[in-house]
Amino acid sequence: MNNLRPVGVIGTGKYVPEKILTNSDLEKMVDTNDEWIVSRTGIKERHIAAPDQATSDLAYEAALKALESAGMTGSDLDLIIVATITPDSAFPSTACILQDKLGAKGAAAFDLSAACSGFVYGLATATSFIQSGMYNNALVIGADCLSRITDYTDRNTCVLFGDGAGAVIVGEVPEGRGFKAFDLGAEGAGGSLLQIEGGGSRLPASAETVENKKHYIYMNGREVFKFAVRVMGTATIEVLRKAGMDRSDVDLFVPHQANVRIIQSAMQRLELPEEKVVVNVHKYANTSAASIPLALVEAAEEGRMKAGDTVLMVGFGGGLTWGASVLVW
Ligand code: ACO
């Protein structure tokens, strides 16, 4: 990527809904307890969208802040990508809804489905478009309302998920800065380990699919855990290799926030000290595509990176998919 136009992050914003669901709230809903949830996952609470909020509403709030921080308005955008597995509806895309609300007249807009890896996939897509000269300023958002696809009678999954949105503006940056490498991948053979079976063309919504809870997330937690630990390590090493860097070059590691044990195992494998790792899973739980941008934007707001720092983002999720990037801030 070295001879191409330098492209990086020029604005950031995030949003989480007001309502907080704590572990003790969940203790009243299913047979679980705070000690189990914290020791197995690191999660203490999660934010839940209000009944009248959909994914585009969360995305809109994050987008406004990102535009403001870039000193832009919607009319400056020529591309909008929303990474989500919980679009407002099958179509129009959540990105098109946002395009209208933001006044980004004429901008290209589409959703991207790569589950928790979606934001990094979105960054890679926007970067390629801008490097090619096709577009100049892209809004890339990871946004999900996982509460809408979570079965709150299933203790195996309902403790794990939350709602939120994180947004960045991707555009040209000074020479030497910006994205240095991406590593995207998938293992489609593992798709059934983490899925929603109902509501698509294979198993359209019916009274029976509702009865059988086919519109909720199904997850084989143990197998996904093993996949996650493996690819967090391999994708990180691969993206550093592509960037011509070493793990000692990493100033800030921004992993997907699914489970603190998965993050800790990556930290150990990569020998990264705690102060170089962003962890906020205790506050937001797993917000799927929103997880990495929420962590990135929060780290930026807390002043954890300065110009020229090397930021490594890595995520994994349904598909199965993974995505990693090296960004010089
Ligand atoms: N409270 C109390 N007990 C529970 C709960 C709960 N909330 N959930 C499960 N248990 C029980 C299980 O029933 C099981 O009991 P059993 O042994 O009697 O059958 C026991 O706890 C242990 O279950 P395990 O599955 O072995 O627990 P584990 O330590 O593997 O942790 C977890 C489970 C947290 C789900 C873990 O496997 C995990 O994090 N997996 C990865 C999930 C992930 O990262 N998903 C990301 C993608 S999500 C997306 O793309 C939308």
Side-chain angles (χ1 to χ4, degrees):
M1 285 171 58
N2 288 344
N3 299 324
L4 299 165
R5 188 182 179 196
V7 174
V9 169
I10 56 175
T12 58
K14 70 175 189 358
Y15 175 78
V16 288
E18 266 173 42
K19 186 187 166 186
I20 293 175
L21 185 69
T22 64
N23 289 351
S24 73
D25 294 330
L26 283 162
E27 285 175 3
K28 294 171 199 123
M29 295 159 69
V30 288
D31 179 17
T32 190
N33 56 76
D34 179 61
E35 197 281 321
W36 190 97
I37 303 172
V38 173
S39 64
R40 298 295 178 109
T41 71
I43 299 165
K44 293 184 178 155
E45 56 190 38
R46 64 291 285 144
H47 290 247
I48 303 292
D52 63 349
Q53 281 181 315
T55 297
S56 70
D57 300 312
L58 276 50
Y60 178 67
E61 297 298 332
L64 287 181
K65 290 180 192 150
L67 283 169
E68 191 190 339
S69 92
M72 290 183 179
T73 64
S75 60
D76 295 310
L77 298 171
D78 43 21
L79 174 66
I80 298 174
I81 301 174
V82 178
T84 187
I85 51 166
T86 51
D88 290 23
S89 59
F91 71 92
S93 69
T94 302
C96 282
I97 295 168
L98 267 187
Q99 191 249 21
D100 178 43
K101 278 178 92 169
L102 292 170
K105 220 172 168 194
F110 61 90
D111 288 358
L112 191 156
S113 173
C116 310
S117 315
F119 180 71
V120 179
Y121 268 66
L123 291 175
T125 309
T127 299
S128 305
F129 272 125
I130 296 169
Q131 281 175 338
S132 75
M134 191 158 164
Y135 297 118
N136 291 309
N137 297 314
L139 169 64
V140 179
I141 303 188
D144 268 307
C145 277
L146 292 185
S147 63
R148 299 291 151 78
I149 53 168
T150 296
D151 177 2
Y152 284 98
T153 66
D154 174 16
R155 70 175 184 174
N156 289 297
T157 53
C158 76
V159 302
L160 303 174
F161 303 122
D163 302 336
V168 297
I169 309 294
V170 177
E172 190 162 353
V173 293
E175 206 60 55
R177 310 255 290 271
F179 289 104
K180 297 297 170 190
F182 288 99
D183 183 56
L184 309 180
E187 273 180 26
S192 62
L193 297 175
L194 182 53
Q195 66 172 348
I196 292 186
E197 267 190 282
S201 58
R202 177 72 62 197
L203 196 60
S206 67
E208 200 183 336
T209 61
V210 173
E211 167 95 1
N212 293 325
K213 301 189 170 184
K214 297 292 186 190
H215 302 273
Y216 290 131
I217 298 173
Y218 163 80
M219 182 175 73
N220 179 332
R222 275 180 213 183
E223 289 306 313
V224 174
F225 192 96
K226 283 189 230 163
F227 167 78
V229 167
R230 173 164 56 86
V231 300
M232 292 278 275
T234 52
T236 301
I237 290 163
E238 182 57 16
V239 80
L240 282 170
R241 188 193 65 74
K242 286 181 181 174
M245 291 182 179
D246 193 69
R247 60 189 173 201
S248 62
D249 294 317
V250 177
D251 296 302
L252 201 67
F253 184 65
V254 185
H256 172 42
Q257 309 284 315
N259 183 321
V260 78
R261 290 188 293 146
I262 295 172
I263 298 172
Q264 282 162 351
S265 94
M267 279 165 62
Q268 277 161 14
R269 179 157 175 195
L270 303 162
E271 294 173 23
L272 288 169
E274 232 168 74
E275 64 272 16
K276 286 191 174 184
V277 182
V278 181
V279 180
N280 63 14
V281 68
H282 54 289
K283 291 193 284 187
Y284 305 126
N286 180 351
T287 55
S288 194
S291 148
I292 291 178
L294 275 178
L296 178 80
V297 176
E298 194 157 272
E301 287 171 356
E302 289 169 359
R304 290 185 68 179
M305 52 272 213
K306 56 182 188 314
D309 277 358
T310 297
V311 178
L312 197 151
M313 293 178 246
V314 59
F316 62 90
L320 300 167
T321 55
W322 71 85
S325 71
V326 170
L327 167 68
V328 175
W329 193 252

